């Protein structure tokens, strides 16, 4: 098995150095707990899917009995418990390795009770006997095209930034598309040996509306005859180096220039291979391969455009082995689509198009579990990432296929949906800056996350003082996350658009991978206990102010509380070096008005009007932020007659408060304050999970229960707090109701970029245009 594992992946044509070679147990992860299998065998590649259960640690908090609580006892206890969750694994490798891989799988199957493996693809029949012999599983063949469509629907619905436009000469060659809330209808152009064109109208409604015998097999077959090159990828490599104009006859070759009256430019191909009839002239393999690629791509592109127009569809996805992430193929198809539709239709490609068949086959086998009732999320820790096959890149960074070699997806506990108050869900972009397109910002933030790594490792170990192996696991986390950062430096498009949010989420995924579910748990616990001691004093001080003074003090207090963010190095350095740094110190750090973004006067004017019906508040940090900043602000809203919904993270991230922690804090504050107490009893103050486990916020992936509460309560004010939720994400989000976005800039570089300085304030109050201010 050494040859297989020493190649660096399951694809022998990858050129990767030994430092990133993966052992088999890191490729076939969690195989011992595999419950269900599916396989898609094509002409050259095998794609394997299996469902497994993963045991991991979770941090649980439990409230103490307050009647028996003595001075100095913590508010709640933290315990690490084992939980089991579901994960999907997808692996791609060359057919040449199928027997070796099946042997490894057979040797490591321990807890499976499955008797069947779902199979699709042209090779399913060829390898049927081998699979049944090796794995002792019955091969159950599924319709290839049905699997393809099911797989496509699944990735479009569940994977952020699945679809992309390819722009060869742009700063960022991959331009990722937002996940549309309604993925239907669309056209899928599957380019295998031939071409099949599908119109997909719903999960189970699709039809093959056309096709062509001129496809990938044509390119491969004719290419082999013309160049004597038998391997598909070598043909594409030849094409990438060729000049088609040496073989193709152009408009200017016939007319001496452009044909203006017909709108034909001189560089347009008038006749593919038109110059090859020239006597006594030799043509290079590279030029012939390039001409052939253009001829077939242009034909497919024109066909796709005609069917898109015929069925009035603007979303056209391309897949199949002819694509496989090759830049030269994607570029020629993109050019063809743009030419024939005059830019009205975009050619869309998929990050995981190589896995569509095996995902569909798996879903067919898992129908009894109804996997579509759940939301799924890409696990960045276990997925290898999209790789460019551009010949200009360092060979060590190049991969034969642009799709994943490994893809892992976790089943989420809660179903995720759009916030109903998004003005236009189809145009919503969570992230403020795409680091893929901003080289300066990309380099800064990658450096920032690398610099912060020592501190994260230290916190991870400190969070588990009773576990001696924690230090070893923390070093494994460091190595893995460092490798991810290096990958993203060379391939910023590996997991879709590179953003601060994706860097944070990748870190959280890696921490969880090595059983560090909540590195800041003890810090949060200590800060919550301390802040609670000052809550009544803070409320009393606010009550002594005039109404107008109190409104400003509440906003200033909320902003000061938001300073306490362990995710910001400028703050964590202060908190570690000066344990006495507190609420009043933070107020002094804030810039004086006018703030960097200052809509406070408009907010004050609004407060003099009628109260809001219900406010949805996305909260941020534990401790001083939530207790001395958010709760007094919420208390004032309740006194005005406004109902409040507090939305907090479902799972830990940095020192952000989680829903389970917030439940305990609210119970404790209610015991001290009659306003909060009565609001909880009368259901005017509600706590709901956001569905997120990130320091940032994607309003298109929120807990379905939260969306229901928003509708039921007729929310007319959304408050988003913190740098992660209101600056790195959602700064430009447009809602159909009033919104407040508040944050303190705790990063000098970002503050400078925004035209401010460290601890500058963003206070953004927005009112939607009248036509969008509609009742839910």
């Amino acid at each position: 098995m050494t040859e297989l594992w020493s190649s660096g992946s399951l694809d022998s044509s990858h050129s990767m150095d030994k430092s990133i070679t993966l052992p088999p147990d890191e490729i076939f992860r969690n195989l011992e707990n595999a419950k269900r299998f599916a396989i898609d065998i094509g002409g050259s590649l095998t794609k394997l899917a299996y469902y497994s259960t993963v045991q991991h640690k979770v941090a649980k908090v439990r409230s103490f009995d307050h009647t028996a609580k003595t001075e100095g006892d913590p508010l709640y206890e933290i315990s690490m418990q084992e939980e089991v969750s579901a994960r999907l694994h997808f692996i791609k490798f060359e057919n040449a390795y199928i027997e070796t891989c099946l042997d490894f799988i057979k040797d490591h199957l321990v807890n499976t009770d499955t008797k069947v493996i779902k199979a699709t693809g042209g090779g399913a029949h060829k390898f049927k006997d081998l699979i049944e012999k090796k794995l002792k599983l019955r091969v159950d063949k599924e319709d290839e095209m049905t699997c393809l469509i099911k797989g496509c629907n699944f990735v479009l619905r569940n994977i952020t930034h699945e679809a992309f436009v390819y722009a060869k000469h742009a700063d960022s060659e991959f331009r990722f598309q937002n996940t549309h809330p309604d993925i239907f209808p669309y056209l899928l152009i599957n380019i295998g040996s031939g071409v099949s064109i599908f119109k997909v109208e719903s999960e189970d409604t699709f039809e093959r509306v056309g096709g062509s015998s001129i496809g990938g097999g044509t390119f491969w077959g004719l290419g082999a005859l013309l160049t004597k090159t038998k391997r598909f990828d070598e043909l594409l490599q030849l094409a990438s180096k060729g000049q088609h104009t040496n073989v193709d006859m152009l408009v200017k070759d016939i007319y001496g220039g452009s044909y203006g009256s017909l709108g034909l430019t001189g560089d347009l191909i008038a006749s593919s291979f038109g110059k090859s009839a020239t006597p006594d002239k030799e043509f290079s393999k590279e030029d012939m391969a390039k001409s052939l690629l253009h001829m077939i791509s242009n034909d497919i592109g024109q066909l796709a455009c005609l069917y898109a127009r015929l069925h009035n569809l603007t979303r056209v996805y391309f897949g199949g082995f002819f694509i496989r992430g090759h830049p030269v193929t994607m570029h020629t198809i993109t050019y063809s689509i743009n030419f024939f539709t005059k830019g009205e239709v975009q050619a869309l490609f998929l990050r995981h198009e190589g896995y569509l068949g095996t995902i569909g086959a798996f879903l067919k086998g898992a129908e009894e579990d109804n996997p579509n009732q759940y939301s799924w999320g890409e696990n960045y820790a276990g997925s290898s990432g999209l790789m460019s096959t551009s010949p200009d890149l360092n060979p060590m960074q190049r991969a034969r296929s642009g799709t994943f070699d490994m893809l892992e997806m976790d089943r989420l506990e809660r179903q995720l949906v759009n916030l109903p108050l998004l003005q236009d869900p189809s145009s919503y972009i969570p992230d403020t800056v795409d680091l893929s397109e901003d080289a300066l910002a990309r380099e800064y933030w990658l450096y920032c996350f690398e610099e912060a790594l020592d501190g994260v490792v230290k916190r991870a170990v400190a969070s588990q003082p009773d576990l001696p192996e924690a230090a070893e696991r923390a070093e494994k986390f460091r190595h893995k996350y460092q490798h991810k950062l290096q990958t993203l430096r060379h391939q910023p498009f590996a997991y879709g658009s590179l953003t601060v949010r994706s860097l944070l989420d990748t870190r959280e995924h890696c921490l969880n991978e090595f059983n560090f579910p909540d590195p800041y748990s003890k810090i949060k616990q200590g800060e919550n206990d301390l802040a609670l001691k000052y809550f009544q004093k803070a409320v009393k001080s606010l009550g002594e102010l005039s109404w107008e003074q109190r409104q400003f003090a509440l906003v200033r207090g909320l902003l000061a509380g938001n300073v306490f963010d362990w995710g910001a190095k400028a703050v964590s350095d202060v908190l570690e070096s000066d344990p006495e740094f507190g609420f009043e110190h933070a107020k002094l750090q804030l810039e004086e008005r006018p703030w960097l973004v200052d809509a406070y006067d408009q907010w004050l004017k609004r407060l003099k009007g009628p109260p809001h019906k219900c406010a949805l508040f996305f909260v941020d940090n534990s401790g001083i932020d939530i207790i001395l900043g958010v709760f007094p602000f919420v208390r004032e809203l309740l006194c005005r007659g406004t109902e409040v919904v507090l939305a907090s993270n479902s799972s830990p991230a940095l020192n952000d408060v989680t829903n389970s922690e917030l439940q305990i804090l609210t119970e404790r504050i209610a015991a001290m304050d009659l306003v909060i107490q009565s609001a909880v009893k009368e259901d005017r103050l509600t706590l709901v999970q956001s569905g997120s486990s990130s320091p940032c916020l994607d309003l298109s992936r929120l807990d379905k229960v939260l969306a229901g509460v928003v509708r039921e309560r007729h929310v007319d004010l959304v408050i988003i707090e913190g740098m992660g939720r209101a600056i790195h994400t959602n700064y430009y989000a447009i809602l159909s109701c009033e919104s407040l976005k508040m944050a303190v800039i705790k990063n000098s570089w970002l503050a400078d970029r925004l035209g401010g300085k460290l601890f500058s304030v963003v206070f953004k109050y927005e009112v939607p245009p009248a036509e969008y201010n509609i009742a839910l």
Side-chain angles (χ1 to χ4, degrees):
M1 291 176 69
T2 51
E3 181 191 0
L4 174 60
W5 312 124
S6 64
S7 66
S9 82
L10 297 173
D11 184 341
S12 64
S13 60
H14 281 215
S15 299
M16 293 192 176
D17 67 339
K18 303 275 184 177
S19 66
I20 53 175
T21 297
L22 291 176
D25 57 349
E26 285 193 36
I27 295 172
F28 297 99
R29 285 155 43 96
N30 305 306
L31 189 59
E32 66 278 7
N33 295 316
K35 305 295 181 188
R36 198 174 266 119
F37 286 90
I39 197 164
D40 175 14
I41 308 175
S44 60
L45 292 175
T46 294
K47 286 79 67 177
L48 177 73
Y50 59 94
Y51 162 93
S52 73
T53 52
V54 183
Q55 195 165 24
H56 56 93
K57 289 191 186 325
V58 293
K60 296 285 188 180
V61 296
R62 186 175 67 86
S63 179
F64 284 115
D65 180 3
H66 298 307
T67 57
K69 190 176 185 295
T70 59
E71 188 67 29
D73 285 346
L75 176 68
Y76 53 82
E77 66 173 339
I78 306 164
S79 62
M80 291 295 165
Q81 298 179 17
E82 296 287 338
E83 259 189 17
V84 174
S85 60
R87 181 173 291 173
L88 297 181
H89 301 259
F90 304 98
I91 303 157
K92 173 166 63 70
F93 51 90
E94 280 196 342
N95 289 352
Y97 296 128
I98 189 167
E99 190 164 356
T100 313
C101 290
L102 290 175
D103 281 335
F104 182 83
I105 294 168
K106 177 190 67 176
D107 293 342
H108 290 78
L109 279 181
V110 179
N111 298 320
T112 186
D113 54 2
T114 186
K115 304 298 182 188
V116 176
I117 180 169
K118 291 288 184 178
T120 187
H125 177 75
K126 178 182 176 182
F127 291 99
K128 176 179 181 290
D129 292 342
L130 178 67
I131 295 168
E132 291 188 337
K133 177 185 173 184
K134 294 282 186 183
L135 298 185
K136 303 291 190 286
L137 299 175
R138 178 171 57 83
V139 172
D140 189 2
K141 198 170 185 309
E142 292 290 342
D143 177 69
E144 188 172 355
M145 295 310 162
T146 301
C147 292
L148 188 77
I149 302 300
K150 278 190 170 292
C152 192
N153 293 342
F154 183 84
V155 297
L156 288 174
R157 184 180 291 107
N158 287 286
I159 301 183
T160 305
H161 296 157
E162 173 62 29
F164 62 88
V165 172
Y166 184 76
K168 181 181 178 182
H169 301 297
D171 291 338
S172 176
E173 57 183 317
F174 298 90
R175 293 180 176 171
F176 294 95
Q177 307 295 294
N178 290 334
T179 303
H180 199 281
D182 184 4
I183 64 173
F184 305 110
Y186 65 84
L187 207 64
L188 177 63
I189 316 295
N190 189 56
I191 314 170
S193 298
V195 179
S196 287
I197 301 174
F198 298 92
K199 179 185 178 184
V200 185
E201 296 183 275
S202 72
E203 190 64 46
D204 299 307
T205 307
F206 65 90
E207 63 174 321
R208 186 182 187 274
V209 293
S212 171
S213 62
I214 301 172
T218 314
F219 174 70
W220 199 344
L222 277 178
L225 290 173
L226 289 167
T227 68
K228 309 304 179 188
T229 301
K230 299 298 183 183
R231 288 181 63 85
F232 186 84
D233 296 304
E234 288 174 14
L235 267 176
L236 281 169
Q237 194 64 22
L238 285 174
S240 70
K241 298 173 182 175
Q243 264 302 342
H244 77 98
T245 54
N246 293 332
V247 180
D248 293 341
M249 188 174 289
L250 308 183
V251 169
K252 65 183 177 184
D253 294 324
I254 301 173
Y255 298 105
S258 61
Y259 198 145
S261 62
L262 293 182
L264 304 176
T265 64
D267 292 326
L268 200 65
I269 298 172
S271 175
S272 296
F273 288 91
K275 292 178 182 175
S276 60
T278 306
D280 304 321
K281 187 173 181 181
E282 293 292 323
F283 298 93
S284 73
K285 293 180 180 180
E286 290 83 359
D287 293 347
M288 288 189 290
K290 187 63 166 283
S291 175
L292 181 62
L293 182 65
H294 274 286
M295 181 180 79
I296 291 170
S297 298
N298 285 336
D299 183 66
I300 293 170
Q302 185 172 31
L303 203 59
C305 293
L306 291 172
Y307 277 102
R309 283 178 171 164
L310 179 65
H311 295 280
N312 196 28
L313 296 172
T314 56
R315 279 179 279 185
V316 182
Y317 300 103
F318 289 83
F321 89 84
F322 184 66
I323 305 292
R324 275 168 42 187
H326 289 284
V328 66
T329 311
M330 293 189 294
H331 174 65
T332 50
I333 287 178
T334 298
Y335 179 86
S336 174
I337 291 284
N338 285 341
F339 176 80
F340 288 116
T341 68
K342 296 180 171 57
E344 292 178 7
V345 175
Q346 287 185 315
L348 295 168
F349 304 96
L350 302 171
R351 282 201 287 143
H352 302 99
E353 59 86 18
Y355 285 124
L356 301 186
T358 189
I359 291 172
F362 172 82
L363 293 172
K364 286 287 288 181
E367 282 178 342
E368 63 193 61
D369 297 330
N370 194 9
N372 281 325
Q373 72 178 314
Y374 303 103
S375 290
W376 298 79
E378 184 176 3
N379 185 329
Y380 299 144
S383 298
S384 49
L386 183 69
M387 295 291 173
S388 172
T389 53
S390 169
D392 301 327
L393 289 176
N394 184 310
M396 281 167 44
Q397 295 298 332
R398 197 186 306 148
R400 184 189 58 75
S401 170
T403 51
F404 280 103
D405 292 313
M406 291 177 290
L407 165 66
E408 292 184 2
M409 297 190 70
D410 289 326
R411 191 177 77 189
L412 307 180
E413 291 181 15
R414 316 184 77 77
Q415 195 169 357
L416 304 182
V417 298
N418 282 301
L419 176 70
L421 294 166
L422 281 172
Q423 179 186 299
D424 179 12
S426 63
S427 64
Y428 168 67
I429 300 174
D431 304 287
T432 305
V433 178
D434 185 345
L435 302 180
S436 309
E437 299 180 359
D438 189 331
L440 187 64
R442 178 169 70 247
E443 189 52 44
Y444 170 77
W445 285 110
L446 286 170
Y447 167 79
C448 232
F449 279 87
E450 284 172 345
E451 282 291 292
L453 199 46
D454 285 343
V456 177
V457 169
K458 178 183 170 185
R459 290 288 158 209
V461 175
S463 70
Q464 299 179 4
D466 300 328
L467 298 175
E469 84 287 355
E472 183 184 348
R473 282 188 285 113
E475 283 307 312
K476 289 180 179 178
F477 153 73
R478 181 204 298 276
H479 176 77
K480 182 148 209 169
Y481 188 57
Q482 214 157 28
H483 175 62
K484 293 290 179 186
L485 292 175
Q486 289 168 1
T487 299
L488 291 166
R489 178 168 270 113
H490 295 291
Q491 308 281 354
F493 41 77
Y495 301 108
S497 293
L498 181 63
T499 63
V500 172
R501 174 169 64 104
S502 68
L503 288 170
L504 285 163
D505 290 350
T506 303
R507 187 169 70 185
E508 293 298 324
H509 290 185
C510 291
L511 281 166
N512 279 293
E513 186 71 22
F514 295 101
N515 279 320
F516 292 108
D518 195 357
Y520 291 84
S521 56
K522 295 192 181 302
I523 289 176
K524 291 188 290 181
Q525 185 187 41
E527 291 185 346
N528 286 333
D529 280 329
L530 184 64
L532 278 170
K533 295 175 182 176
Y534 296 98
F535 175 75
Q536 287 173 305
K537 180 182 176 183
V539 169
K540 184 174 183 294
S541 298
L542 289 164
E544 294 168 355
L545 301 174
S546 68
W547 180 86
E548 196 154 318
Q549 288 174 328
R550 187 166 68 253
Q551 304 316 306
F552 183 70
L554 285 164
V555 167
R556 192 160 171 261
L558 207 158
L559 292 165
N562 193 243
V563 168
F564 293 84
D565 181 356
W566 281 86
K569 192 171 186 301
V571 175
S572 62
D573 286 349
V574 170
L575 295 176
E576 285 188 325
S577 62
D578 182 8
E580 300 301 315
F581 185 85
F583 193 40
E584 296 306 318
H585 296 91
K587 289 179 184 178
L588 297 175
Q589 296 292 330
L590 300 177
E591 71 171 331
E592 296 295 324
R593 292 192 67 202
W595 296 322
L596 181 63
V597 176
D598 194 337
Y600 177 74
D601 290 340
Q602 293 94 312
W603 171 245
L604 185 65
K605 182 179 178 182
R606 172 63 185 86
L607 288 178
K608 292 176 181 177
H612 296 88
K613 173 75 175 69
C614 183
L616 169 63
F617 199 136
F618 289 99
V619 298
D620 192 5
N621 306 303
S622 290
I624 287 175
D625 188 359
I626 186 70
I627 295 167
L628 302 184
V630 172
F631 265 104
F633 191 92
V634 165
R635 189 179 184 278
E636 185 76 9
L637 288 175
L638 292 167
C639 290
R640 277 174 53 80
T642 300
E643 294 179 6
V644 178
V645 177
L646 291 180
S648 53
N649 272 10
S650 300
S651 305
L654 293 173
N655 66 315
D656 294 0
V657 66
T658 64
N659 183 259
S660 56
E661 291 162 349
L662 188 55
Q663 297 278 356
I664 296 171
L665 293 177
T666 304
E667 177 191 331
R668 187 72 187 95
I669 290 170
M672 294 189 283
D673 187 271
L674 290 175
V675 173
I676 301 296
Q677 187 181 95
S678 63
V680 170
K681 283 183 178 177
E682 296 163 11
D683 202 26
R684 291 184 294 110
L685 175 60
T686 310
L687 311 184
V688 186
Q689 298 186 42
S690 67
S692 174
S693 56
S694 169
C696 296
L697 181 65
D698 182 352
L699 296 175
S700 69
R701 286 176 69 81
L702 294 178
D703 190 339
K704 189 175 182 180
V705 173
L706 173 58
V709 170
V710 167
R711 290 191 181 94
E712 291 164 10
R713 299 295 177 100
H714 302 286
V715 168
D716 54 355
L717 172 65
V718 173
I719 304 170
I720 306 176
E721 179 209 9
M723 262 179 62
R725 292 168 179 80
I727 304 295
H728 292 312
T729 53
N730 298 306
Y731 188 74
Y732 296 117
I734 302 174
L735 304 179
S736 59
C737 69
E738 295 173 53
S739 64
L740 265 181
K741 298 168 188 174
M742 294 179 279
V744 177
I745 310 297
K746 292 151 288 196
N747 178 283
S748 298
W749 183 89
L750 180 61
D752 184 62
R753 252 210 170 192
L754 295 172
K757 56 187 179 180
L758 192 63
F759 300 118
S760 286
V761 169
V762 170
F763 188 89
K764 199 176 185 187
Y765 170 59
E766 295 173 306
V767 179
E771 62 267 27
Y772 294 113
N773 200 359
I774 55 175
L776 289 170

